[in-house]
Amino acid sequence: MLRHTWTLFLCLMMVAGAAVTYQIKYRAELATEEARDMVSEINGLEEDISRLKAQWSLLNQPSRLQALVENNAEVLPLTPLAPHQIALLDNIPERSPMSLIVPRRKPFSYAYESNTLAKLINQTSEPSLSDLIGSEAR
Amino acid sequence: MALSDTFDAAKAKVSLLTSVRRHVSFKGTAVDQKDDSRLRLLMAVGLFAVIYAVIGLRLAGIAMFGELDAGNPYGSSGVSAARPDLLDRNGEVLATDVKTFSMFAEPRRVLDADEVVDGLATIFPDLDSDAIRTRMASDRGFMWLKREITQEQQRAIHRMGLAGVGFLNENRRFYPGHETASHILGHVNIDNEGIAGIEKHIDGQGLADLQEAGLQMERNLEPMRLSTDLRVQHVVRDELTKAMERYRAIAAMGIVLDVHTGEVIAMSSQPDYDPNIPAQALEKERMNRATAGVFEMGSIFKTFTTAMALDSGKVAIHDNFDARRPIRVSRYTINDFHGKHRVLSVPEVYIYSSNIGTAKMALEVGIDGHKEFLSRLGLMDRLRTELPESADPQHPSKWSQISAMTISFGHGISVSPMQTAVAAAALVNGGKLIPPTFFPRSEAEADQLARRVVSQETSDKMRYLMRLNVLKGSGRRAEVQGYRLGGKTGTAEKVVDGKYSSSVRFNSFLAAFPMDDPKYLVLVVIDEPKPEKEGIGATAGRNAAPTLAAIVKRAAPMLGVMPRMESDAALGIPQYNVPSPAR
């Protein structure tokens, strides 16, 4: 009787052992699969990053930016920085209450000529917006 | 597969375990069994041991070497080697690897050719479907469908799951700046090996060995930072190309050097090439003239002669030189281009660029002293930088008095523009000759390598003379308000058919700024410029000087040089009041 119980116990142990082994194997396979996916995802993302960096660098090339500025000077008049435009905070004198601020150059005086503005206004389809700019220009 | 082995082995182990138990119990009940049952038992034990050993070894093997083969989900990796990214000093990408995919088909494995063709047509509408269908019908093992497709296209096709269609990927070197820094970066060949410029240099530094040994990683190659500033590099190139056009020159060169560290901030040689199209580099006129070309630099050499004369102690800044009459030595005559025909002081000799006065200064020092000084400045030997492109300077094997005199104003000796710039930097930075580099370097590191070539006092005097030349001399068109530029023009005559021609010129401008504390040295060379308009000259003051001024005006704010509007004396630019012997 005792021997039978013992055999039964061993059989159960065997089945249990097989089940556990199978579980471990299954989980390991799952984990392998997951790791494989992750590695490939990381590879893909890293490639994406490097590709986007190259693309960014291509778009951010000084030569390209310069061409863009030159070709769109009518809309956005950007010119290189001139030496007299650079100053330290210390160079700016204290504002005295008696002083009168006279701008050296009228803002927009050189590019936003009235005809350029008119052209811009004509391009916009929204009448309310053009009315608004128009009233300000007047 | 490893784990299923383990599993099978484990099962076997369990069943054996039970059978052995049975044997053991048999043995316990029937003690007087025959000997062969004992043998059977021994055999079982032996079998056991073998199985355990196999399991143990397998486990050890897995633990030690690992079996987790992630593989490449996008097809096998190509042959092209991976290279480190090259960045400029601010971290902008100058060169990088991009992965390109090439799509192929294995006709034998294609199940449905129509499905493949239709699927591809959705991504590549311009693909010749009929041609592919015919080729697919053949019994070939392999055919290219399309080379160099983008990753998006590759993924889209991958998702369709077309049988018999595969991808090969390879790294291709990409230079987003195209021509901008071509002569610094160099380029790579079809196998992604560097064959010029810094690309070749980094291969020489062990990358090639690493790749050969198969140790190189696909990723994780540390990017390499260069000393170049992409923005300044662009400015130099942009202004040089404009100058080439405006003066219809055949070539132009520009160098910007940090005088305290020897770092090359920018270097351009026009015409240049697009490193993405390496075949262009083979055209001879696109060579890197800045380091691999040698030229008679002309009057900018007077800067070296004057520094030599002042540093030797044989000439003082208050000395006068008689430039009334040309010097005649045997059949040669040395005359002045802008002759004043009077006695000149040292500063006047410099700012009027007097050949006669400079030649006399060189004679004061003597031939041996002259040779020694030029070799001290590194102008007699080949200058080695990280770039593989370099050239030997050319100078007479035997220096006669006449060669010493012509060399004093830059004829009869040919050096590379980079060499000239490096030597000149030593004259304005306080007298330290610092070997140039294309990689970042700190001032402390530079001081370790530096060699004193002239005294601080000589350097101060040179700063004064160079600044004076921009204020009052031939360099007036190089003045940029606020940046305290100082420099020397050079208008050299080129040798045409064995004779110096007065109409074919090699113009240069050598300058440093800001002169109160020089930080950067700029050299601009324009080869064979034509007059901008009929009737005006094509001297360096009219083309090289304004080109250099345009570069400084744009680049100085990028380099962080603060414009100052105070007078030179107030800024601390050395002043030597040398009376003119004219009156």
Side-chain angles (χ1 to χ4, degrees), chain B residues 398-418:
Chain B
K398 215 169 79 181
W399 286 42
S400 58
Q401 204 174 35
I402 181 73
S403 41
M405 282 195 280
T406 59
I407 285 168
S408 78
F409 51 85
H411 284 78
I413 184 167
S414 297
V415 298
S416 72
M418 181 58 81

Side-chain angles (χ1 to χ4, degrees), chain A residues 14 18 21 25 28 32 36 39-40 43-44 46-48 50-51 54 57-58 61-63 66 83 86-88, chain B residues 3-4 7 14 68-70 73 93 96-97 99 151-152 155 174 176-177 219 230 234 238 481 483 554 562-563:
Chain A
M14 187 191 77
T21 317
K25 177 181 146 63
T32 312
R36 198 196 303 261
V39 167
S40 89
N43 279 340
E46 273 179 0
E47 270 158 32
D48 282 354
S50 120
R51 195 169 40 83
S57 151
L58 195 65
Q61 277 300 311
S63 46
Q66 187 180 337
I86 308 169
L88 291 174
Chain B
L3 284 158
S4 67
F7 179 51
V14 171
L68 199 78
D69 181 17
V93 176
T96 186
D97 277 351
K99 219 158 221 155
Q151 187 149 24
E152 283 83 5
R155 279 185 189 165
F174 177 61
R219 292 173 276 120
L230 177 64
H234 162 70
D238 189 48
Q481 204 199 3
Y483 291 121
R554 287 173 67 183
M562 199 55 204

Side-chain angles (χ1 to χ4, degrees), chain B residues 23-38:
Chain B
H23 277 287
V24 170
S25 57
F26 281 166
K27 206 182 165 193
T29 49
V31 189
D32 50 4
Q33 279 267 341
K34 280 184 223 158
D35 272 0
D36 65 318
S37 96
R38 192 175 181 81

Side-chain angles (χ1 to χ4, degrees), chain B residues 252-268:
Chain B
M253 287 141 261
I255 294 169
V256 179
L257 211 60
D258 185 316
V259 300
H260 293 300
T261 63
E263 291 170 289
V264 180
I265 306 294
M267 182 193 84
S268 182

